Every structure is written in C-alpha cells, then in structure tokens.
Amino acid sequence: MTATPSEDKVVADFWFDPLCPWAWMTSRWMLEVEKVRPVEVRWHVMSLSVLNEPKLDELPEEYRELLTKGWGPVRVVIAAQQEHGPEVLGDLYTALGTRFHNNGEGPTREAILGALEDAGLPASLADYADSDRYDKELRASHKEGIDKVGQDVGTPVIAVPGADGEQIAFFGPVVTPAPQGEEAARLWDGTLLVAGVQGFYEIKRTRTAGPDFSNL
C-alpha cells in the first residue's frame, strides 16, 4: 500500500526517551508504518528520569545509575528542539538510537557528539547534557505525553486522532524485532483497533527475548 500525500496523512505523535531500547524498536516500526499506511510521525521527547523521580529510592541501584545517565540525552534532544525546531528531532533520534543501541555505544558523550554530527547539528548542543537550561520545557513535553496514558507506563507513548475526533493514546507496542512490510501494517491496524475500544487497557505476556536490532 502506497502512502498518500502528506496533507492526507494521519499524524501520529510519538514520545520517546532515546535511552530506552524498547522505544527504539517501536520507533523503527513506526518508520515502517509510514511506508505502508497514510501516517506521518511527529516526534516529542519524554524522560524516564523524570518519570521515575518519585520512586527513585525504591529502584535497584543499577537502574538508578542508568536514570542518572539518562538526563544527558534527553536534555540534548530538548535543547535541539528549542534551538533548531521540532523538525530536527526525527533525524537526531535516529542518530542517537543507532549509536546507543545498534552500535552498542551507550549514552556516552562521545556517542552524543557523533549523533549530533550525523544529524547535521552543532556539537555545542552536547554541553546541554549537563545543563538544566531547558528542563522546564523537557518536563512540559514529558507531561504532555504521559498525561495521555497515565503514570503506570513508560516510553514510548503514541497518540493519534480517532474516528470520532477524540484522541487515542497508548503505551507501546513493545515488540522485537521491529516488524516490516505488511506485518508492520497489520500491527498498526490491530493496535489502533484495540486502543480505540472504550474501556480497553491492557494486553500483555512475559517477554522471552531482548531487543533484536539485527534488521535495523
């Protein structure tokens, strides 16, 4: 199925934290959905570090350390949005995710600098990793996304307009590897179908595999 012209596409708002490998998998699926359904993704930043602030003391030490490192990437992303416009987020997320997850570099300063170069953005944005200059805007973007689905979930959050004009929003889907082609289209159609049912909340099963980046 060929996507229709941009003005006829449905906008899917996608909130991500570049730290999360599962959100990364879902985002790559959404890029495939753009090819097979009349959908256009609009990117927004959210933060696992912000989300977990109220329960930080209850989390395992290893995860707390990861969340501390997680401030840097989201601060760089929100700074890029504020200083260069929201249109840079898609390419920057792709660059960050490719280095963090596909290449196994993790959320290091070197990886962030490389991603900024890959996305055609100035290296000076990396300095915002240690700055709270745009934390207000970061928290506002996070709140916009998480308020649509509640505090019991994480990243990603996706929101689309429903048939009745009301917005459909959901966490996930959590999937690996990222579906491609018609499989990606079927997952999209099915996700919208169940998410659009009033009173529907959850389908879940135990994960038996980690994120598989082999087809990305």
Side-chain angles (χ1 to χ4, degrees):
M1 179 177 177
T2 304
T4 54
S6 180
E7 59 267 20
D8 297 323
K9 291 184 180 181
V10 171
V11 172
D13 288 297
F14 189 109
W15 279 263
F16 68 92
D17 184 329
L19 191 69
C20 179
W22 293 104
W24 173 245
M25 299 298 300
T26 307
S27 74
R28 299 311 93 181
W29 163 66
M30 282 305 304
L31 293 184
E32 190 72 11
V33 170
E34 284 189 319
K35 301 176 185 176
V36 294
R37 288 292 185 265
V39 172
E40 185 171 335
V41 180
R42 185 163 57 190
W43 305 98
H44 309 266
V45 64
M46 63 183 297
S47 171
L48 291 173
S49 302
V50 171
L51 180 67
N52 286 284
E53 276 182 325
K55 54 184 178 183
L56 199 59
D57 292 340
E58 305 168 15
L59 300 174
E61 183 178 354
E62 183 179 357
Y63 193 53
R64 290 201 305 269
E65 291 176 359
L66 182 64
L67 293 174
T68 298
K69 295 177 182 176
W71 281 102
V74 291
R75 282 171 163 168
V76 170
V77 172
I78 198 69
Q81 176 186 312
Q82 293 297 308
E83 298 191 1
H84 298 274
E87 63 274 9
V88 306
L89 292 191
D91 287 345
L92 180 55
Y93 183 26
T94 291
L96 288 167
T98 298
R99 286 180 175 271
F100 288 6
H101 306 300
N102 294 16
N103 298 352
E105 297 177 38
T108 63
R109 179 175 175 83
E110 291 74 18
I112 291 172
L113 284 167
L116 289 169
E117 182 178 1
D118 295 340
L121 291 167
S124 58
L125 286 171
D127 294 337
Y128 285 105
D130 300 312
S131 168
D132 61 2
R133 169 67 177 82
Y134 293 116
D135 278 10
K136 179 180 178 181
E137 290 80 2
L138 171 61
R139 290 177 183 277
S141 181
H142 172 87
K143 185 176 187 302
E144 182 185 10
I146 206 68
D147 279 356
K148 296 179 184 298
V149 291
Q151 296 289 325
D152 295 333
V153 300
T155 177
V157 170
I158 300 174
V160 296
D164 60 358
E166 294 294 321
Q167 196 169 54
I168 299 170
F170 49 89
F171 159 71
V174 176
V175 61
T176 186
Q180 298 182 335
E182 192 55 31
E183 186 181 25
R186 289 197 304 270
L187 179 57
W188 177 251
D189 295 342
T191 299
L192 293 187
L193 181 65
V194 297
V197 174
Q198 186 175 10
F200 174 82
Y201 294 106
E202 187 172 2
I203 289 179
K204 191 171 184 179
R205 58 186 174 191
T206 300
R207 292 180 224 164
T208 57
D212 180 355
F213 309 127
S214 60
N215 68 345
L216 300 183

